[in-house]
Amino acid sequence: MRNLPTLLSIVLPLSVALLPAGAPMRSTGGERTQEVQLCAAAGVSIAVSPLPQSARLLEIEISSESTAEAYALVKADADAGAFEGTPTDEELRAEALSTLLSGTVPEALAAREDITKELIGEASLHEEGPAALLSRFVPGELLRLQMRSDAWPALSLRREQYMALPLTLPRPAHNETKLQQVWDELRARYPLEDGELPDLDDALATRVADGLTFEALDTMVRDRLKRESAIEGDAKAYLAVEAALLEALSIEVPQTLLVERGRQQYSAVCTRARDAAAAAPDDESLRKEAASLLSWEAFQSYMAKEGDAIERAMALSFALQAVADTEGVKPDPQAVDDNFNMYWVEFKKTHNVELDREDAQLRERFEAEYMRDTTLRFLLDHAAVEWA
């Protein structure tokens, strides 16, 4: 004997309560009738349109033939005694609707790779509750419904959106020694025919670039040194680039990704609290603190405090990746290796701990951070800087 479900699975998947308490249930061991599994995707049409916050509206039509077939098969199962108890018509309609939304519609959706490749997370009914949907479901009639699903942000950038970002940075102190080093390196790179070093004049500037004057070259070199000085030992320059980029681009972070990242971070918070309590078993306050974190309300409180910061970090990550993809920014593998080794040495000196050089996740995190810094540096090099 099989049980009717108290939950209706709705695509991708989502479970929502439909049937009243105490309704007959389909048994867990029962299998759906083969014809239901094979309900034609041709009986379903799906149209997609954008919604705010990187979401998609799925407008679904299920043909009258498909709704009639689903109900007929469920009714045949009931007449054959496949269910415990005697299901009411409402319960049979709920089972048929569940069959359509957990079988027929996903089959149709799976056939649309143009849709599924961009959807993430769980789909949910859009502006309609499950009870209202069930109340208007009539077997043998066309059924229209709307669902909402998050989608991966699709960023198609134009260079003018992120090149020459307006920045205001504190004017760094003039460093005559570095300026002289630059001039010495430049003169050595462009020696005269007799091997002598050239003078700092228009002739040298022309050799650097056609039509370049020494005045323009001097301005370029000094501006470059200012940018170098602004970066060294100070995160303000990068923070200014991040803020300018987020202001220039409108990045919508899907709620699904935001919640998932929040769960990952909150899990780390809970783990630290649990470990702290385990390390001091006699400390009742630590035990209570760890226990207090294990509730939905505690997670919601955490998201209320950290949600904006998480969303900003994710929006920035999407934006930097889009810039890197558009510009083809790719760090030199040798430079990545050299910097990873320097990071390993510095970490050992600071923490007296040797990191596992073969740890794939460690390497992946480092490369992601290096790529981030490389892209930020690219944006800074091409920013329109006003020195305050």
Side-chain angles (χ1 to χ4, degrees), residues 131-169:
L133 176 62
L134 179 60
S135 69
R136 62 181 183 83
F137 170 56
V138 179
E141 293 186 8
L142 176 73
L143 178 64
R144 292 187 177 92
L145 65 144
Q146 293 183 332
M147 303 192 74
R148 177 194 182 281
S149 177
D150 284 337
W152 287 103
L155 299 179
S156 180
L157 302 185
R158 304 182 307 278
R159 295 193 88 218
E160 58 266 27
Q161 291 178 277
Y162 57 82
M163 297 294 277
L165 291 173
L167 303 181
T168 301
L169 299 176

Short mmCIF file of all heavy atoms in Angstrom, two decimals, residues 131-169:
data_model
loop_
_atom_site.label_atom_id
_atom_site.label_comp_id
_atom_site.label_asym_id
_atom_site.label_seq_id
_atom_site.Cartn_x
_atom_site.Cartn_y
_atom_site.Cartn_z
N ALA A 131 -1.66 26.34 -1.58
CA ALA A 131 -3.08 26.05 -1.40
C ALA A 131 -3.90 26.72 -2.50
O ALA A 131 -4.85 26.14 -3.04
CB ALA A 131 -3.54 26.52 -0.03
N ALA A 132 -3.52 27.95 -2.86
CA ALA A 132 -4.22 28.65 -3.93
C ALA A 132 -4.02 27.95 -5.27
O ALA A 132 -4.96 27.86 -6.08
CB ALA A 132 -3.72 30.10 -4.02
N LEU A 133 -2.80 27.45 -5.51
CA LEU A 133 -2.54 26.72 -6.75
C LEU A 133 -3.39 25.46 -6.82
O LEU A 133 -3.98 25.16 -7.86
CB LEU A 133 -1.05 26.37 -6.84
CG LEU A 133 -0.61 25.51 -8.04
CD1 LEU A 133 -0.88 26.24 -9.35
CD2 LEU A 133 0.87 25.15 -7.93
N LEU A 134 -3.45 24.72 -5.72
CA LEU A 134 -4.24 23.49 -5.70
C LEU A 134 -5.73 23.78 -5.91
O LEU A 134 -6.43 23.03 -6.60
CB LEU A 134 -4.04 22.75 -4.38
CG LEU A 134 -4.82 21.45 -4.19
CD1 LEU A 134 -4.44 20.44 -5.27
CD2 LEU A 134 -4.57 20.87 -2.80
N SER A 135 -6.19 24.89 -5.36
CA SER A 135 -7.62 25.20 -5.45
C SER A 135 -8.06 25.47 -6.88
O SER A 135 -9.22 25.27 -7.23
CB SER A 135 -7.95 26.42 -4.57
OG SER A 135 -7.37 27.60 -5.12
N ARG A 136 -7.16 25.92 -7.73
CA ARG A 136 -7.54 26.21 -9.12
C ARG A 136 -7.04 25.14 -10.10
O ARG A 136 -7.15 25.30 -11.32
CB ARG A 136 -7.05 27.59 -9.54
CG ARG A 136 -5.55 27.79 -9.53
CD ARG A 136 -5.20 29.22 -9.93
NE ARG A 136 -3.75 29.43 -10.01
CZ ARG A 136 -3.01 29.12 -11.07
NH1 ARG A 136 -3.58 28.57 -12.15
NH2 ARG A 136 -1.71 29.33 -11.06
N PHE A 137 -6.45 24.07 -9.58
CA PHE A 137 -6.02 22.97 -10.44
C PHE A 137 -7.21 22.08 -10.77
O PHE A 137 -7.80 21.44 -9.89
CB PHE A 137 -4.92 22.16 -9.75
CG PHE A 137 -4.58 20.87 -10.45
CD1 PHE A 137 -4.19 20.87 -11.79
CD2 PHE A 137 -4.67 19.65 -9.79
CE1 PHE A 137 -3.88 19.68 -12.44
CE2 PHE A 137 -4.36 18.45 -10.43
CZ PHE A 137 -3.97 18.48 -11.76
N VAL A 138 -7.55 22.05 -12.04
CA VAL A 138 -8.68 21.23 -12.51
C VAL A 138 -8.16 20.23 -13.54
O VAL A 138 -7.72 20.64 -14.62
CB VAL A 138 -9.78 22.10 -13.15
CG1 VAL A 138 -10.94 21.22 -13.65
CG2 VAL A 138 -10.28 23.14 -12.17
N PRO A 139 -8.15 18.94 -13.23
CA PRO A 139 -7.69 17.95 -14.21
C PRO A 139 -8.46 18.09 -15.52
O PRO A 139 -9.69 18.25 -15.51
CB PRO A 139 -7.97 16.62 -13.52
CG PRO A 139 -7.94 16.94 -12.06
CD PRO A 139 -8.52 18.31 -11.95
N GLY A 140 -7.74 18.03 -16.64
CA GLY A 140 -8.37 18.17 -17.94
C GLY A 140 -8.41 19.59 -18.44
O GLY A 140 -8.88 19.85 -19.55
N GLU A 141 -7.92 20.54 -17.62
CA GLU A 141 -7.85 21.94 -18.04
C GLU A 141 -6.40 22.41 -18.03
O GLU A 141 -5.57 21.90 -17.27
CB GLU A 141 -8.69 22.83 -17.12
CG GLU A 141 -10.19 22.58 -17.23
CD GLU A 141 -10.99 23.58 -16.41
OE1 GLU A 141 -10.38 24.56 -15.90
OE2 GLU A 141 -12.22 23.40 -16.32
N LEU A 142 -6.12 23.40 -18.89
CA LEU A 142 -4.78 24.00 -18.95
C LEU A 142 -4.44 24.63 -17.60
O LEU A 142 -5.28 25.31 -17.00
CB LEU A 142 -4.74 25.06 -20.05
CG LEU A 142 -3.45 25.85 -20.19
CD1 LEU A 142 -2.35 24.98 -20.80
CD2 LEU A 142 -3.68 27.09 -21.07
N LEU A 143 -3.21 24.39 -17.11
CA LEU A 143 -2.78 24.98 -15.84
C LEU A 143 -1.61 25.93 -16.10
O LEU A 143 -0.60 25.53 -16.69
CB LEU A 143 -2.34 23.88 -14.87
CG LEU A 143 -1.81 24.37 -13.52
CD1 LEU A 143 -2.90 25.10 -12.74
CD2 LEU A 143 -1.24 23.22 -12.70
N ARG A 144 -1.80 27.15 -15.68
CA ARG A 144 -0.73 28.14 -15.77
C ARG A 144 -0.24 28.48 -14.36
O ARG A 144 -1.06 28.66 -13.45
CB ARG A 144 -1.21 29.42 -16.45
CG ARG A 144 -1.53 29.26 -17.93
CD ARG A 144 -1.82 30.62 -18.55
NE ARG A 144 -2.06 30.52 -19.99
CZ ARG A 144 -3.27 30.36 -20.54
NH1 ARG A 144 -4.35 30.28 -19.75
NH2 ARG A 144 -3.40 30.29 -21.84
N LEU A 145 1.05 28.56 -14.20
CA LEU A 145 1.62 28.96 -12.91
C LEU A 145 2.94 29.67 -13.13
O LEU A 145 3.56 29.57 -14.20
CB LEU A 145 1.83 27.76 -11.99
CG LEU A 145 2.86 26.71 -12.44
CD1 LEU A 145 3.60 26.16 -11.24
CD2 LEU A 145 2.15 25.56 -13.17
N GLN A 146 3.36 30.40 -12.13
CA GLN A 146 4.63 31.14 -12.18
C GLN A 146 5.51 30.70 -11.03
O GLN A 146 5.04 30.50 -9.90
CB GLN A 146 4.38 32.65 -12.08
CG GLN A 146 3.66 33.23 -13.28
CD GLN A 146 3.51 34.73 -13.16
OE1 GLN A 146 3.45 35.29 -12.07
NE2 GLN A 146 3.44 35.41 -14.30
N MET A 147 6.80 30.55 -11.33
CA MET A 147 7.78 30.21 -10.31
C MET A 147 8.96 31.17 -10.41
O MET A 147 9.19 31.79 -11.47
CB MET A 147 8.25 28.77 -10.46
CG MET A 147 7.12 27.75 -10.42
SD MET A 147 7.69 26.06 -10.25
CE MET A 147 8.17 26.05 -8.53
N ARG A 148 9.68 31.30 -9.33
CA ARG A 148 10.83 32.19 -9.27
C ARG A 148 12.06 31.38 -8.89
O ARG A 148 12.01 30.53 -8.00
CB ARG A 148 10.62 33.28 -8.22
CG ARG A 148 11.80 34.22 -8.03
CD ARG A 148 11.64 35.05 -6.77
NE ARG A 148 12.73 35.99 -6.61
CZ ARG A 148 13.94 35.70 -6.15
NH1 ARG A 148 14.22 34.43 -5.82
NH2 ARG A 148 14.86 36.61 -6.02
N SER A 149 13.19 31.64 -9.58
CA SER A 149 14.44 30.98 -9.24
C SER A 149 15.58 31.98 -9.36
O SER A 149 15.57 32.85 -10.23
CB SER A 149 14.69 29.80 -10.18
OG SER A 149 15.95 29.20 -9.90
N ASP A 150 16.55 31.85 -8.47
CA ASP A 150 17.76 32.66 -8.60
C ASP A 150 18.57 32.22 -9.80
O ASP A 150 18.46 31.08 -10.26
CB ASP A 150 18.61 32.56 -7.33
CG ASP A 150 18.04 33.38 -6.18
OD1 ASP A 150 17.29 34.33 -6.46
OD2 ASP A 150 18.34 33.07 -5.02
N ALA A 151 19.40 33.13 -10.31
CA ALA A 151 20.23 32.83 -11.47
C ALA A 151 21.61 33.42 -11.27
O ALA A 151 21.79 34.40 -10.54
CB ALA A 151 19.60 33.40 -12.74
N TRP A 152 22.60 32.78 -11.91
CA TRP A 152 23.95 33.32 -11.83
C TRP A 152 23.98 34.71 -12.43
O TRP A 152 23.40 34.94 -13.48
CB TRP A 152 24.93 32.43 -12.60
CG TRP A 152 25.23 31.14 -11.92
CD1 TRP A 152 24.74 29.92 -12.24
CD2 TRP A 152 26.10 30.95 -10.80
NE1 TRP A 152 25.23 28.96 -11.38
CE2 TRP A 152 26.08 29.57 -10.48
CE3 TRP A 152 26.90 31.80 -10.03
CZ2 TRP A 152 26.80 29.03 -9.44
CZ3 TRP A 152 27.62 31.26 -8.99
CH2 TRP A 152 27.57 29.90 -8.70
N PRO A 153 24.66 35.66 -11.78
CA PRO A 153 24.77 37.00 -12.36
C PRO A 153 25.46 36.94 -13.72
O PRO A 153 26.50 36.31 -13.88
CB PRO A 153 25.64 37.75 -11.34
CG PRO A 153 25.51 36.99 -10.07
CD PRO A 153 25.35 35.56 -10.48
N ALA A 154 24.86 37.57 -14.72
CA ALA A 154 25.44 37.61 -16.06
C ALA A 154 25.96 39.03 -16.31
O ALA A 154 25.17 39.95 -16.53
CB ALA A 154 24.40 37.22 -17.10
N LEU A 155 27.26 39.19 -16.24
CA LEU A 155 27.87 40.51 -16.40
C LEU A 155 28.54 40.62 -17.76
O LEU A 155 29.45 39.87 -18.08
CB LEU A 155 28.90 40.76 -15.29
CG LEU A 155 28.37 40.72 -13.86
CD1 LEU A 155 29.51 40.95 -12.87
CD2 LEU A 155 27.29 41.75 -13.66
N SER A 156 28.06 41.55 -18.55
CA SER A 156 28.68 41.85 -19.83
C SER A 156 29.15 43.30 -19.75
O SER A 156 28.35 44.23 -19.84
CB SER A 156 27.68 41.65 -20.97
OG SER A 156 28.28 41.94 -22.21
N LEU A 157 30.46 43.47 -19.56
CA LEU A 157 30.99 44.80 -19.28
C LEU A 157 31.51 45.49 -20.53
O LEU A 157 31.94 44.85 -21.48
CB LEU A 157 32.12 44.70 -18.25
CG LEU A 157 31.79 44.05 -16.91
CD1 LEU A 157 32.99 44.15 -15.98
CD2 LEU A 157 30.59 44.72 -16.27
N ARG A 158 31.46 46.80 -20.49
CA ARG A 158 32.15 47.64 -21.47
C ARG A 158 33.32 48.31 -20.77
O ARG A 158 33.22 48.69 -19.60
CB ARG A 158 31.20 48.70 -22.04
CG ARG A 158 29.94 48.13 -22.66
CD ARG A 158 29.08 49.26 -23.25
NE ARG A 158 28.82 50.31 -22.28
CZ ARG A 158 27.88 50.27 -21.36
NH1 ARG A 158 27.08 49.20 -21.27
NH2 ARG A 158 27.70 51.26 -20.51
N ARG A 159 34.42 48.50 -21.49
CA ARG A 159 35.63 49.02 -20.85
C ARG A 159 35.40 50.37 -20.19
O ARG A 159 35.98 50.68 -19.15
CB ARG A 159 36.77 49.14 -21.87
CG ARG A 159 37.24 47.83 -22.44
CD ARG A 159 38.54 47.98 -23.18
NE ARG A 159 39.70 47.83 -22.30
CZ ARG A 159 40.80 48.54 -22.39
NH1 ARG A 159 40.89 49.50 -23.28
NH2 ARG A 159 41.80 48.33 -21.57
N GLU A 160 34.55 51.18 -20.79
CA GLU A 160 34.33 52.51 -20.22
C GLU A 160 33.64 52.45 -18.86
O GLU A 160 33.63 53.44 -18.12
CB GLU A 160 33.49 53.37 -21.17
CG GLU A 160 32.14 52.79 -21.55
CD GLU A 160 32.17 52.01 -22.84
OE1 GLU A 160 33.25 51.47 -23.18
OE2 GLU A 160 31.12 51.93 -23.51
N GLN A 161 33.10 51.27 -18.50
CA GLN A 161 32.46 51.15 -17.20
C GLN A 161 33.47 51.06 -16.06
O GLN A 161 33.15 51.40 -14.92
CB GLN A 161 31.56 49.91 -17.16
CG GLN A 161 30.32 50.00 -18.02
CD GLN A 161 29.50 48.73 -17.96
OE1 GLN A 161 29.77 47.76 -18.67
NE2 GLN A 161 28.49 48.72 -17.10
N TYR A 162 34.67 50.57 -16.34
CA TYR A 162 35.63 50.36 -15.26
C TYR A 162 37.00 50.97 -15.51
O TYR A 162 37.83 51.03 -14.60
CB TYR A 162 35.78 48.86 -14.97
CG TYR A 162 36.21 48.03 -16.17
CD1 TYR A 162 37.54 47.94 -16.54
CD2 TYR A 162 35.27 47.34 -16.93
CE1 TYR A 162 37.93 47.19 -17.64
CE2 TYR A 162 35.65 46.58 -18.02
CZ TYR A 162 36.98 46.51 -18.37
OH TYR A 162 37.37 45.78 -19.45
N MET A 163 37.28 51.43 -16.72
CA MET A 163 38.55 52.12 -16.96
C MET A 163 38.42 53.56 -16.49
O MET A 163 37.35 54.18 -16.59
CB MET A 163 38.91 52.06 -18.44
CG MET A 163 39.14 50.65 -18.96
SD MET A 163 40.59 49.83 -18.23
CE MET A 163 41.88 50.49 -19.27
N ALA A 164 39.52 54.11 -16.01
CA ALA A 164 39.54 55.50 -15.52
C ALA A 164 38.55 55.73 -14.38
O ALA A 164 37.83 56.73 -14.34
CB ALA A 164 39.28 56.48 -16.66
N LEU A 165 38.51 54.76 -13.44
CA LEU A 165 37.66 54.95 -12.26
C LEU A 165 38.14 56.17 -11.49
O LEU A 165 39.34 56.35 -11.25
CB LEU A 165 37.74 53.72 -11.36
CG LEU A 165 37.11 52.43 -11.87
CD1 LEU A 165 37.43 51.27 -10.92
CD2 LEU A 165 35.61 52.56 -12.05
N PRO A 166 37.22 57.05 -11.08
CA PRO A 166 37.63 58.24 -10.34
C PRO A 166 38.02 57.91 -8.91
O PRO A 166 37.22 57.36 -8.15
CB PRO A 166 36.39 59.13 -10.39
CG PRO A 166 35.24 58.16 -10.52
CD PRO A 166 35.77 57.00 -11.33
N LEU A 167 39.27 58.22 -8.53
CA LEU A 167 39.76 57.96 -7.18
C LEU A 167 40.35 59.23 -6.59
O LEU A 167 40.94 60.04 -7.31
CB LEU A 167 40.86 56.88 -7.20
CG LEU A 167 40.54 55.52 -7.81
CD1 LEU A 167 41.76 54.62 -7.70
CD2 LEU A 167 39.35 54.88 -7.12
N THR A 168 40.18 59.36 -5.29
CA THR A 168 40.86 60.42 -4.55
C THR A 168 41.74 59.76 -3.50
O THR A 168 41.24 59.09 -2.60
CB THR A 168 39.85 61.37 -3.87
OG1 THR A 168 39.01 61.96 -4.87
CG2 THR A 168 40.57 62.46 -3.11
N LEU A 169 43.06 59.95 -3.65
CA LEU A 169 44.02 59.31 -2.75
C LEU A 169 44.89 60.36 -2.08
O LEU A 169 45.17 61.41 -2.67
CB LEU A 169 44.91 58.33 -3.54
CG LEU A 169 44.21 57.17 -4.24
CD1 LEU A 169 45.22 56.36 -5.05
CD2 LEU A 169 43.50 56.28 -3.24
#
